[in-house]
Amino acid sequence: MKIDFGKAVPHIIAILVFLIITVAFFHPVFFENKEIFQHDILQGQGAAQSLKEYRSKSGEEGLWAENIFSGMPAYLVGMVYSGDIVVHLQSAYSLWLPHPVRILFMSFLSFYILLLSFGVRPYVAMAGALAFGLTSFQIISLGAGHNSKAAAIAIMPLVLAGVHLAFKGKFNLGFIITALGLAMEIRVNHLQITYYLLIICVGYGLSELIYKAKGGEIKSIIKPMTYLVLAAILAVGTNFGRLWGIYEYSQHSIRGKSELSGGDVPQGESGLDKAYAFEFSNGIMEPMVLFIPNFFGGSSFQELDRDSNLANSLLRNGLQPQQIGQHLDSVPTYWGDQRLSAPYYAGAITIFLFALGLLLLEGRMKWWLLGLITFSIMMSWGSSFSSFNYALFDYLPGYNKFRSVTFSIIIAIFCMGLLGFQGLDKLLSEGLTKPNQRKLLIALGTTAGFALIAAIFAGVGRYEGSVDLQLAASVPDWYINAIRLDREALLRGDAFRSFMFVMLAASAIWLGIKNIIPLKFAILGLALLIVADMFFVDKRYLKEDAFRRNPARQFFSANEADRTILQDTDPNYRVFNLINPFNDARTSYHHRSIGGYHGAKMKRYQDLIERCLSVEQQEIMQMVQSRDFSFYSQDVINMLDARYFIAGPNKGHVIPNEYANGPAWFVPKIKKVNNADEEIEAIGNANTKTIAIVDVSKFPVEKEDYFSGGTIEVVKNEPNQIVYEIDAAGESFALFSQIYYPEGWTATIDGVNTEILRANYVLRAMLIPEGKHTVEFNFEPASYTIGNTVMLICGVLLVLLIVVIGLLEIKKLQSDIQQ
């Protein structure tokens, strides 16, 4: 049997190009032993450090993250599933490149496969893959440490490729690509991007349904849908434990139902409040940055050149040259309405090809994509188009779980690339017929013409941003006016830049079709232009100084305050960092922290932060400033066992708190309340050392008075188990400085199962009979114990199916070649 290896050459070249671009872009990682300094990833490492240490020490997996927000499930912190086979498939798919730089390679490879599945020739598909992978959306995400978001985007095209192949009648191939793609998509765990992928797949499916219905072939969709449903079931199975745990936790997180009245989310309803969800919303004109990256001044703060208007104004107003550089490092060039922003640039060439594709492609191939692009842009407007987006938020299932709606622009970027490079491939196939020549000129005139007009008339804009109001309080008018002139210059410069890239791309296409240069070289030249366009825009947002040697060691290096606290040999206490405590996981790296950093805190704990902890934090800071260390009345912080406060990095910034309640204690009195509103109001006015607040509508207790004499000692405290030795003088009510979570925790007294009660809004509590007892809390969630096994079984099945179907496809390919 002979195989035509010549057909594999373009694919090998494409993969090599993807590797070369990945290595070139992230060369400090490969050649200088550096890493990207990713703030969010470092915070995640801080939150997960205690779990990592426990795994290394015990060989077991910690399921409860004790060092963050006084304790929460580890499902979204740093938990590892031993049954996760997909992690190895994902490594192989990315050719075992280091994380997270491999995400760029996966972006290239996935979009390449997608375009091939739509019949695009390999070299055009390679150019399209480079355009998609190098979109600034991906690079900005990696720079910020949003690795799961970038990885989910990188895998999106692979899933749609599988779906499309199934509908084309390649059922086995479509099944396995969909199963593998979706398994990896779910595994990287960014549900918002996966939700956008679902929107794309639904748009594609509706288009196919309409087309088949018009042709009287409605029944023909049954077979591909059957294969795709089976692929989805298998993909879910490979992530079963992870999905189960996340779903279970979501009911109790800030995305779950609100138990309090008077909040932004109506009581009893789930989801985020609108103000939080739509905090970041594009202005109506902001999607123009897809074509001209500095249309709104670029990112929120960026560096300006020495010949900028601001630099010249500073020089004219007496600043020395060495001082000017400090002002130019981080200038608020963005002039839109958002608090923070980053330009999601799709590429001037991609936008030009999108316009060309709209003119060239038939209705079935383009209308579903154009509809999704329009829908995506409208979604990205968020509160700027509130009548539309608030309706989506209220009625589109699951949509109210997500924030930062500007992320939805990735749907447009995805669809523009898919439409544009299909259009280019069709033009190359048909040639420059008169109709096609006219369409090429229209696309060129529309895009290049707009860029040229934007450049010429840039001077008519006012360039006044919302940040200018804040600047006005600290800098003179001439300073702000200089920045506005620089905003104008940035728009003009990038508009000319987009104009030039569109003209060069159109020239390369024309020269290739006219055979003035070989078509293959013309396409490769176009790919080179795409890389030049995207690469240098991306480097604005991921510069050389973003790469550092061992950033974790620098970030987490113990300071004097940490070392002072770590001298305490009793591990059963918590620390409260008074400096931005609820957006800080560095403290969690070293200590059991009351604060932390996480996008999905427990709902009740967030309530406690907003209603109690933030208030007491401010009180403590005022007391510390006045040298008053009598923290007796900080009852909520004391019940969370904050033995130390941190007010800075030095030894003198550590403030011991002798009033912390300890890891567990008895209270003589229970105050009964009937709902969450009464409970949280009462906790803010209670002496937590002597009284417990219990919602008797959920946890009925008969008595109100109990014995408070006796002792409670912690004898074991690990992520999955806590053991206490208790000596109670009589029937007692014990409070434990541990966060109540209803799923997975069980308790025993002397080996007999006992109900865990909730008290003081967030704490665990228990009725203790008279005498000496051993109390054990064990965390054994079924979502892990059962879910992990299901993951292993489905993962092995997926691997076997990949091998079997792969062999069948190779055999089929050999047969086709022989014929």
Side-chain angles (χ1 to χ4, degrees):
M1 292 184 182
K2 290 186 177 181
I3 298 177
D4 186 1
F5 288 103
K7 292 185 178 180
V9 170
H11 306 310
I12 295 171
I13 291 174
I15 291 172
L16 288 174
V17 168
F18 300 156
L19 279 171
I20 291 168
I21 298 298
T22 301
V23 171
F25 197 90
F26 294 109
H27 65 88
V29 173
F30 293 95
F31 303 117
E32 300 174 32
N33 195 29
K34 292 183 178 181
E35 301 172 34
I36 310 173
F37 184 87
Q38 297 176 299
H39 177 267
D40 283 13
I41 294 301
L42 290 172
Q43 295 282 12
Q45 291 175 5
Q49 179 63 18
S50 63
L51 298 171
K52 181 180 178 181
E53 292 173 354
Y54 178 75
R55 187 185 306 123
S56 176
K57 177 182 176 182
S58 68
E60 298 178 4
E61 190 60 32
L63 309 179
W64 185 260
E66 177 66 20
N67 280 28
I68 179 173
F69 296 118
S70 302
M72 63 181 284
Y75 309 135
L76 296 172
V77 177
M79 202 167 80
V80 176
Y81 289 84
S82 59
D84 184 4
I85 302 295
V86 178
V87 63
H88 304 294
L89 295 174
Q90 190 173 325
S91 295
Y93 183 71
S94 57
L95 299 186
W96 295 276
L97 290 168
H99 186 71
V101 300
R102 67 183 184 185
I103 293 173
L104 182 61
F105 177 82
M106 288 196 299
S107 299
F108 294 149
L109 183 56
S110 296
F111 209 78
Y112 180 72
I113 293 171
L114 174 64
L115 287 172
L116 290 179
S117 75
F118 275 83
V120 175
R121 68 193 68 194
Y123 289 121
V124 174
M126 182 186 73
L130 293 171
F132 178 76
L134 289 172
T135 169
S136 67
F137 195 114
Q138 285 291 71
I139 304 306
I140 290 169
S141 297
L142 289 172
H146 299 166
N147 291 350
S148 62
K149 179 178 73 177
I153 291 168
I155 300 164
M156 285 169 66
L158 187 64
V159 178
L160 185 62
V163 172
H164 180 63
L165 287 170
F167 273 96
K168 283 177 64 177
K170 298 181 179 181
F171 302 115
N172 288 339
L173 197 57
F175 164 81
I176 203 61
I177 289 178
T178 303
L180 174 61
L182 191 56
M184 294 193 296
E185 176 74 24
I186 296 171
R187 187 197 169 274
V188 298
N189 193 28
H190 199 287
L191 296 182
Q192 185 169 358
I193 297 301
T194 305
Y195 191 90
Y196 296 150
L197 170 61
L198 176 62
I199 290 174
I200 292 172
C201 291
V202 168
Y204 174 85
L206 287 175
S207 172
E208 288 297 304
L209 179 64
I210 293 169
Y211 175 80
K212 298 291 187 185
K214 286 183 176 179
E217 302 174 359
I218 192 72
K219 291 183 179 180
S220 65
I221 70 168
I222 295 175
K223 190 172 182 178
M225 286 301 300
T226 302
Y227 274 83
L228 293 174
V229 168
L230 291 174
I233 291 172
L234 181 57
V236 168
T238 63
N239 291 276
F240 187 68
R242 182 178 292 107
L243 290 173
W244 185 355
I246 292 171
Y247 172 77
E248 195 174 70
Y249 176 67
S250 69
Q251 311 305 306
H252 308 284
S253 76
I254 57 175
R255 287 161 172 79
K257 291 183 179 180
S258 174
E259 297 185 64
L260 298 176
S261 62
D264 294 308
V265 180
Q267 190 173 24
E269 295 187 11
S270 62
L272 303 172
D273 68 84
K274 283 190 174 71
Y276 181 71
F278 292 105
E279 179 185 5
F280 297 103
S281 299
N282 277 335
I284 298 300
M285 292 296 293
E286 280 193 73
M288 294 307 304
V289 301
L290 293 169
F291 184 49
I292 301 173
N294 274 330
F295 195 88
F296 270 86
S299 58
S300 300
F301 297 91
Q302 66 182 37
E303 185 179 0
L304 291 180
D305 296 330
R306 286 281 181 169
D307 60 350
S308 64
N309 290 283
L310 180 60
N312 292 326
S313 294
L314 290 168
L315 190 63
R316 286 196 301 269
N317 282 275
L319 267 74
Q320 297 300 315
Q322 60 269 25
Q323 296 174 301
I324 293 175
Q326 300 173 5
H327 288 265
L328 301 180
D329 285 344
S330 184
V331 182
T333 54
Y334 170 72
W335 53 280
D337 294 330
Q338 298 184 74
R339 177 171 59 86
L340 294 170
S341 183
Y344 296 141
Y345 178 55
I349 296 173
T350 297
I351 300 300
F352 160 61
L353 294 178
F354 159 66
L356 180 63
L358 277 179
L359 298 169
L360 285 171
L361 294 182
E362 298 172 1
R364 181 193 177 192
M365 300 173 68
K366 68 181 177 183
W367 291 125
W368 70 277
L369 288 167
L370 182 60
L372 285 171
I373 291 166
T374 305
F375 186 62
S376 164
I377 291 173
M378 291 167 67
M379 289 171 71
S380 78
W381 286 335
S383 57
S384 301
F385 189 21
S386 58
S387 59
F388 174 77
N389 284 300
Y390 286 0
L392 286 184
F393 190 82
D394 290 335
Y395 300 110
L396 188 63
Y399 189 60
N400 62 359
K401 307 292 185 183
F402 309 120
R403 70 181 305 232
S404 297
V405 295
T406 53
F407 292 171
S408 63
I409 204 71
I410 191 60
I411 299 175
I413 294 172
F414 181 100
C415 294
M416 284 177 172
L418 180 54
L419 197 159
F421 286 91
Q422 283 186 87
L424 173 60
D425 191 74
K426 185 176 182 182
L427 179 65
L428 297 179
S429 296
E430 295 180 353
L432 278 178
T433 62
K434 284 188 177 181
N436 285 352
Q437 186 171 330
R438 182 174 60 84
K439 291 172 182 178
L440 177 63
L441 290 174
I442 291 173
L444 178 64
T446 302
T447 52
F450 176 84
L452 187 60
I453 290 170
I456 294 172
F457 293 98
V460 302
R462 300 182 66 181
Y463 304 98
E464 297 176 358
S466 58
V467 70
D468 294 354
L469 295 175
Q470 303 171 23
L471 284 174
S474 57
V475 298
D477 290 343
W478 60 263
Y479 193 102
I480 298 174
N481 290 334
I483 292 176
R484 290 173 179 168
L485 289 173
D486 282 321
R487 292 168 180 166
E488 175 190 333
L490 288 170
L491 190 157
R492 179 179 286 108
D494 267 5
F496 271 125
R497 183 184 185 282
S498 292
F499 169 79
M500 290 304 301
F501 272 108
V502 170
M503 294 299 296
L504 290 171
S507 299
I509 294 168
W510 186 82
L511 290 171
I513 296 176
K514 289 290 188 179
N515 291 319
I516 297 174
I517 59 175
L519 183 60
K520 186 182 297 185
F521 291 151
I523 298 172
L524 292 175
L526 180 68
L528 186 62
L529 285 171
I530 288 170
V531 171
D533 177 17
M534 309 300 291
F535 193 97
F536 292 106
V537 170
D538 291 339
K539 280 299 180 182
R540 298 176 184 177
Y541 311 113
L542 195 67
K543 300 179 181 179
E544 293 299 307
D545 59 7
F547 297 89
R548 305 181 191 178
R549 282 194 173 89
N550 202 342
R553 183 172 62 187
Q554 300 174 34
F555 189 76
F556 294 117
S557 178
N559 55 37
E560 287 184 4
D562 295 320
R563 290 192 290 269
T564 300
I565 295 172
L566 289 171
Q567 291 175 7
D568 192 329
T569 57
D570 177 9
N572 302 305
Y573 63 85
R574 293 198 180 91
V575 172
F576 189 38
N577 193 329
L578 299 171
I579 312 300
N580 197 24
F582 308 116
N583 287 289
D584 157 56
R586 186 196 170 280
T587 303
S588 301
Y589 187 92
H590 299 285
H591 315 287
R592 297 165 72 236
S593 176
I594 283 177
Y597 184 92
H598 203 279
K601 295 187 283 293
M602 290 182 66
K603 180 68 174 176
R604 279 184 166 258
Y605 204 84
Q606 179 64 30
D607 294 339
L608 200 72
I609 290 171
E610 295 173 356
R611 304 290 184 98
C612 303
L613 289 177
S614 294
V615 175
E616 292 191 0
Q617 174 200 1
Q618 296 300 319
E619 293 174 352
I620 292 170
M621 293 180 71
Q622 293 173 6
M623 294 170 71
V624 169
Q625 290 172 0
S626 61
R627 310 300 295 174
D628 176 8
F629 303 130
S630 55
F631 305 118
Y632 186 84
S633 61
Q634 274 59 53
D635 293 292
V636 176
I637 287 176
N638 286 335
M639 80 178 190
L640 295 174
D641 198 20
R643 190 182 299 178
Y644 297 98
F645 299 130
I646 299 177
N650 300 324
K651 181 178 180 180
H653 294 139
V654 177
I655 304 126
N657 175 26
E658 63 184 58
Y659 299 100
N661 291 11
W665 65 100
F666 294 119
V667 292
K669 186 79 174 175
I670 284 179
K671 180 176 180 180
K672 297 180 180 181
V673 295
N674 298 300
N675 54 55
D677 287 319
E678 293 180 6
E679 190 177 6
I680 200 165
E681 182 179 357
I683 191 63
N685 300 292
N687 181 347
T688 56
K689 291 181 174 61
T690 61
I691 192 169
I693 314 300
V694 178
D695 182 353
V696 293
S697 69
K698 305 278 178 55
F699 303 92
V701 290
E702 296 180 1
K703 297 171 57 177
E704 295 184 8
D705 298 302
Y706 294 88
F707 286 90
S708 59
T711 59
I712 306 178
E713 180 185 357
V714 182
V715 296
K716 184 178 182 180
N717 190 351
E718 294 182 346
N720 304 333
Q721 185 183 54
I722 310 174
V723 181
Y724 302 86
E725 294 292 343
I726 296 180
D727 187 356
E731 186 183 14
S732 304
F733 193 82
L735 282 174
F736 304 90
S737 184
Q738 295 290 334
I739 300 302
Y740 177 87
Y741 183 68
E743 313 288 351
W745 278 106
T746 59
T748 62
I749 298 178
D750 300 327
V752 179
N753 288 333
T754 305
E755 182 184 9
I756 304 173
L757 306 176
R758 188 184 66 220
N760 293 5
Y761 203 72
V762 297
L763 297 186
R764 299 176 211 167
M766 187 180 291
L767 290 169
I768 306 294
E770 180 181 359
K772 294 183 178 181
H773 305 283
T774 299
V775 172
E776 290 189 19
F777 289 95
N778 292 284
F779 192 47
E780 298 176 327
S783 61
Y784 181 80
T785 56
I786 297 174
N788 198 44
T789 303
V790 174
M791 289 172 65
L792 178 61
I793 294 170
C794 292
V796 171
L797 179 59
L798 176 60
V799 172
L800 291 174
L801 287 171
I802 289 173
V803 173
V804 171
I805 293 175
L807 291 174
L808 289 174
E809 289 296 320
I810 292 173
K811 186 176 181 181
K812 182 181 176 182
L813 180 62
Q814 291 174 332
S815 176
D816 291 342
I817 291 172
Q818 283 185 322
Q819 293 175 4

